[in-house]
Amino acid sequence: MAEECVMVSNDLPVKRPREEEEENGVSSASTVSMELEGNKEQPDCISAVIPGWFSEISPMWPGEAHSLKVEKILFQGKSEYQNVMVFQSSTYGKVLVLDGVIQLTERDECAYQEMIVHLPLCSISNPKKVLVIGGGDGGVLREVSRHSSIEQIDICEIDKMVVDVSKQFFPKMAVGFEDPRVTLHIGDGVAFLKAVPEGTYDAVLVDSSDPIGPAQELFEKPFFESVAKALRPGGVVCTQAESIWLHMHIIEDIVTNCRQIFKGSVNYAWTTVPTYPSGVIGFMLCSTEGPPVDFKHPVNPIDANDNHSNSLEPLKFYNSEIHSAAFCLPSFAKKVIESKAK
């Protein structure tokens, strides 16, 4: 697959060496050898300050960057929607990067995948129909499949390349696609939701990237209105909701929109993911009007060893204690979020 679609992007951000570093020879002295598989050119998203390191730079987190040492680039491609790269890191296993931004690593993906799924699904009794928007790596599907009550799992992912690359390089995540309850739809999640009959799903899980590029619409009010329509009374949604350290302005807008649309519960939770900007990521959890949902106290517990499929490994991150703790916010974030939720 890597040989069929290899392309070096010229529009990804590059961390340039400072003048004093060039003059003092810091850049050349710090060179780390790096093996490129199938391509000898160095892609633009590899830091020029310390060759052999990937640096994540974005206007979403100005003034800072997180870097990982690269052992080998396994795949580079450009789909219809975004640049896709996979590399082998020294400390976090294989890494999936979209448009220069880390989406997951083998080492810490559990902290995100398990929380975005089990926070909502363990908060309602007997979920049967679940829709996943995004999540083309298969990790969310893997976690949803742990719940034996579920009969139907639909996933709508816009970028087929993400699915194909994940199946090739991240089989322990892409195992989620193998569940017979899963139906994969390649297409626009916004359009898919608009066509869904009212009250179809017990839960909608939105595993989106940041609100730039193809994922921008997934953070806007019309999308949340479509989600609410697709849910049954007392149904739940959980969506990726950025970092309290970097994106409180985005979180404020999400909370405001959700409070206007969802007449049940509206809560914000968070988890730690070391390779995400600031080391944390949040989730917006909401329920529609109907049977009350208390997200902070799970009613549908899942044990670390509960597996609908024997092919799944035990849970690594989620448990009932961390479920409740995820809703405990630092004072600065609690003040802002609670003011918007009223």
Side-chain angles (χ1 to χ4, degrees):
M1 180 174 172
E3 295 178 353
E4 295 175 354
C5 183
V6 176
M7 183 179 300
V8 177
S9 166
N10 293 318
D11 54 3
L12 291 173
V14 184
K15 188 175 182 181
R16 301 296 183 188
R18 295 190 295 268
E19 291 182 4
E20 62 267 26
E21 289 173 334
E22 291 179 322
E23 292 172 359
N24 296 329
V26 172
S27 180
S28 58
S30 303
T31 298
V32 178
S33 62
M34 177 179 65
E35 183 181 351
L36 291 170
E37 183 173 286
N39 194 322
K40 295 182 179 181
E41 296 183 36
Q42 181 168 296
D44 288 345
C45 52
I46 300 299
S47 169
V49 174
I50 308 177
W53 290 70
F54 170 86
S55 288
E56 186 180 66
I57 304 171
S58 170
M60 289 286 292
W61 41 92
E64 59 185 87
H66 180 247
S67 300
L68 290 176
K69 186 179 179 181
V70 178
E71 297 294 336
K72 180 187 292 185
I73 293 182
L74 304 174
F75 177 85
Q76 301 168 75
K78 189 167 185 177
S79 72
E80 183 181 349
Y81 302 98
Q82 55 202 342
N83 295 284
V84 180
M85 182 171 75
V86 178
F87 68 86
Q88 180 71 43
S89 71
S90 297
T91 52
Y92 279 83
K94 291 194 286 291
V95 181
L96 174 65
V97 180
L98 300 181
D99 278 344
V101 177
I102 292 173
Q103 303 300 305
L104 63 93
T105 78
E106 289 181 310
R107 180 178 174 184
D108 65 7
E109 56 88 7
C110 59
Y112 176 83
Q113 314 288 359
E114 293 181 17
M115 293 293 274
I116 197 173
V117 172
H118 304 309
L119 287 177
L121 293 187
C122 290
S123 297
I124 57 176
S125 299
N126 203 35
K128 294 187 178 299
K129 295 183 179 180
V130 175
L131 170 64
V132 178
I133 300 294
D137 52 67
V140 168
L141 293 178
R142 179 193 67 200
E143 296 306 315
V144 173
S145 70
R146 294 183 190 273
H147 292 262
S148 58
S149 68
I150 294 175
E151 300 171 352
Q152 175 183 334
I153 309 171
D154 292 330
I155 176 171
C156 186
E157 162 63 48
I158 197 169
D159 197 339
K160 187 176 184 296
M161 182 179 286
V162 173
V163 176
D164 293 339
V165 166
S166 297
K167 287 181 177 179
Q168 180 175 357
F169 295 103
F170 301 94
K172 289 186 178 180
M173 297 182 64
V175 66
F177 288 103
E178 299 174 8
D179 193 292
R181 296 169 293 176
V182 171
T183 301
L184 171 62
H185 307 266
I186 299 296
D188 180 6
V190 175
F192 183 89
L193 262 178
K194 288 180 180 178
V196 169
E198 186 172 350
T200 297
Y201 295 103
D202 298 288
V204 174
L205 311 178
V206 186
D207 179 17
S208 66
S209 50
D210 294 310
I212 51 178
Q216 183 172 349
E217 284 187 281
L218 304 184
F219 287 79
E220 297 174 350
K221 189 174 182 179
F223 175 75
F224 288 116
E225 291 172 339
S226 296
V227 170
K229 173 178 170 289
L231 288 170
R232 63 159 173 83
V236 297
V237 58
C238 183
T239 181
Q240 185 273 106
E242 301 300 328
S243 166
I244 56 175
W245 291 109
L246 300 173
H247 308 122
M248 280 308 301
H249 60 294
I250 296 175
I251 295 170
E252 285 184 66
D253 290 342
I254 295 174
V255 174
T256 298
N257 287 335
C258 288
R259 192 70 234 154
Q260 294 173 358
I261 295 166
F262 295 96
K263 302 307 179 182
S265 303
V266 175
N267 291 100
Y268 187 89
W270 60 316
T271 188
T272 62
V273 184
T275 54
Y276 283 176
S278 80
V280 303
I281 194 73
F283 308 104
M284 200 74 222
L285 291 108
C286 309
S287 64
T288 55
E289 188 173 12
V293 177
D294 181 1
F295 286 111
K296 298 179 182 180
H297 301 94
V299 296
N300 182 29
I302 183 169
D303 183 81
N305 297 311
D306 281 349
N307 291 323
H308 183 75
S309 169
N310 292 328
S311 64
L312 300 182
E313 296 180 354
L315 290 169
K316 295 179 180 180
F317 192 88
Y318 176 88
N319 57 52
S320 57
E321 291 82 10
I322 210 167
H323 180 123
S324 297
F327 294 91
C328 297
L329 303 176
S331 297
F332 75 90
K334 182 179 180 181
K335 181 179 180 180
V336 172
I337 291 171
E338 287 186 350
S339 69
K340 294 295 180 180
K342 291 179 180 178

